[in-house]
Amino acid sequence: VSAPSLDLLRTRALARRLEAVLNVSDARAAARRTLPKALFEYVDGGAEDELTLARNERAFHDLTFRPRMGLINAEPKLGTTVLGTPVSMPVLTAPCGGMRLVHPDGDMGVARAAAAAGTIPVVPAAAGVSLEEVAARVPAGPRWFQLYRFHDPKLMAGLVERAQAAGYQAMVMTMDTVVPGNREQDRRNGFSYNMRINARSAVRQAPRLARHPAWLSRFVRDGMPFELANIAGPDGQRMALPAMSRMAADSQSPTWDDVEWVRDRFHGPVVVKGILTADDARRAVNAGAVAVIVSNHGGRQLDGAPATIDVLPEIVAAVGPDVAVLLDSGVRRGNDVLKALAQGARAVLIGRAAAWGLAIGGQAGVERMLDIMRAQILRSMRLMGLTDVCELNAAWVERSR
Ligand code: GLV
């Protein structure tokens, strides 16, 4: 078989695999087969007893629609604007660390898929490629950058300046990572804080990794990338993900002063991520945020934090109509997107859903997940008698308990 036809066979096989994926849960199951256990569990898992992780999904299930019949809505509109930027649907991609371990397309694949879908990627600080590279290789369009608080103000200032220079339109400050959440599965797997691929660990891991040959061969061809392209340590070397988490753990908590500090340096909107109460939403706005993301970090930080969809209405009410409220954590279906918008969100972000797509098909897999979301939203809009996502409000849902 000649090389081009091998490529063709591979492309066809990938297309067939992606066609068989009909929802996020299918993608998760396929990703579970593809990824080494430790990596799968890193993406999949939540903190401690995963109460918040489970609650995120359940709270969406506890809302039901109030559909309207007898209306003809041939082509419902699901485009909207977020901070004045038009998006083809109210779904952005969430910033997630470790994506280049999941697939060599990594952060680039997620950003390119988001751009192809006509929406905004939120590119993570903990990316496996530099923010400049993403900016250079993702087709022109809106993109935001996500920032943690780093102990070293020079590092923070450098990232803000670089993101500015590279044309990122908004800066997303993550507030809920004072320390890393207690993810016991990662500790059991040896995933966090001490993992390094070196000769010794490679030998030790080999039997487990060998069970995932497709992932392993991609990972090896990609040069076994463990470092974080954006973050240099005190020695000027790029940091590995665990080392960055350790450093974040050594830092103080991000404060409202940090938000003001970023607002004064970044010439663009500041978005605060990780808000779960009305008071904090008001604080974020007072510190200069023009938008907030209601998030419990996908249930990965404080176990026992509320489901985001449950606290969304009080936050929307607290900040008023001039502040955009976005939501992540627990979005698995197009219906969840519609419920979030009915409760006052401007748009949602998907993290794990995109990661599972990436695991099984790289950029094409993320595109598939965004297509699935879009198709689900459209179908439900027709079934609901809803012509435009911008018309969603609290009258379209009720609590079913
Ligand atoms: C990092 O923020 C993570 O959730 O793993």
Side-chain angles (χ1 to χ4, degrees):
V1 192
S2 67
S5 57
L6 243 185
D7 272 352
L8 193 67
L9 286 177
R10 267 205 211 102
T11 311
R12 284 211 189 118
L14 173 61
R16 264 200 310 277
R17 256 202 331 277
L18 293 180
E19 258 168 50
V21 168
L22 300 183
N23 56 37
V24 173
S25 155
D26 288 350
R28 175 178 181 267
R32 176 174 235 154
R33 292 189 295 273
T34 305
L35 299 176
K37 178 170 175 283
L39 185 52
F40 174 81
E41 292 189 352
Y42 166 70
V43 177
D44 190 56
E48 299 193 345
D49 297 313
E50 304 190 330
L51 301 176
T52 296
L53 181 63
R55 197 184 297 268
N56 280 338
E57 294 187 14
R58 205 171 58 233
F60 275 113
H61 300 171
D62 287 343
L63 285 175
T64 54
F65 291 119
R66 294 172 55 80
R68 297 168 195 183
M69 305 299 157
L71 301 164
I72 297 190
N73 53 348
E75 197 47 64
K77 290 210 219 41
L78 46 64
T80 184
T81 58
V82 181
L83 297 183
T85 302
V87 287
S88 75
M89 65 174 159
V91 180
L92 284 58
T93 55
C96 298
M99 288 301 104
R100 189 157 167 195
L101 305 180
V102 167
H103 190 284
D105 286 1
D107 312 280
M108 192 75 81
V110 175
R112 292 176 73 100
T119 188
I120 304 170
V122 184
V123 178
V129 283
S130 74
L131 63 93
E132 287 84 2
E133 230 177 303
V134 175
R137 289 179 45 204
V138 173
R143 56 189 117 79
W144 298 358
F145 188 70
Q146 174 266 340
L147 191 64
Y148 291 111
R149 181 190 199 281
F150 295 106
H151 195 59
D152 177 4
K154 276 218 307 280
L155 176 59
M156 288 253 299
L159 281 172
V160 172
E161 265 164 42
R162 286 170 54 197
Q164 184 94 60
Y168 289 81
Q169 283 97 339
M171 187 60 72
V172 177
M173 294 260 337
T174 296
M175 301 297 284
D176 59 6
T177 44
V178 179
V179 290
N182 182 22
R183 305 179 203 155
E184 290 162 358
Q185 68 284 4
D186 290 352
R187 283 163 55 187
R188 255 177 233 120
N189 292 331
F191 186 81
S192 306
Y193 318 132
N194 58 2
M195 186 151 123
R196 279 277 191 297
I197 293 283
N198 52 32
R200 205 146 44 105
S201 66
V203 169
R204 207 175 50 238
Q205 299 277 346
R208 256 172 285 163
L209 298 184
R211 281 185 230 146
H212 305 276
W215 175 86
L216 185 60
S217 85
R218 282 194 292 263
F219 184 63
V220 171
R221 265 184 287 141
D222 196 31
M224 302 195 282
F226 255 90
E227 78 217 336
L228 294 170
N230 286 322
I231 323 284
D235 56 359
Q237 296 290 314
R238 285 173 172 188
M239 279 194 176
L241 188 59
M244 191 198 81
S245 304
R246 210 168 33 234
M247 186 176 72
D250 292 342
S251 310
Q252 297 157 22
S253 158
T255 65
W256 300 114
D257 289 345
D258 294 322
V259 176
E260 288 180 18
W261 186 89
V262 169
R263 178 204 56 198
D264 292 342
R265 272 162 191 79
F266 184 72
H267 310 298
V270 171
V271 180
V272 163
K273 174 171 176 282
I275 295 296
L276 291 170
T277 64
D279 279 348
D280 272 358
R282 279 189 287 261
R283 271 184 204 109
V285 173
N286 288 340
V290 299
V292 296
I293 303 178
V294 180
S295 170
N296 55 38
H297 217 104
R300 300 162 71 80
Q301 288 295 104
L302 174 65
D303 199 29
T308 49
I309 189 74
D310 282 343
V311 293
L312 176 65
E314 76 171 64
I315 289 168
V316 171
V319 297
D322 296 337
V323 174
V325 180
L326 284 73
L327 170 144
D328 70 26
S329 307
V331 176
R332 309 285 184 259
R333 284 273 183 193
N335 282 352
D336 300 335
V337 181
L338 293 168
K339 288 172 186 177
L341 266 64
Q343 297 287 62
R346 189 83 201 169
V348 307
L349 296 86
I350 55 168
R352 288 188 186 86
W356 300 145
L358 189 67
I360 58 182
Q363 178 184 336
V366 184
E367 286 175 15
R368 172 76 178 150
M369 299 320 291
L370 287 165
D371 282 349
I372 287 173
M373 283 283 165
R374 185 190 305 278
Q376 289 178 351
I377 295 171
L378 269 175
R379 182 184 301 268
S380 288
M381 286 176 74
R382 288 193 164 146
L383 291 169
M384 288 164 72
L386 174 67
T387 29
D388 190 329
V389 284
C390 299
E391 285 165 17
L392 277 165
N393 58 33
W396 288 89
V397 289
E398 66 190 2
R399 204 154 282 281
S400 62
R401 275 165 303 165

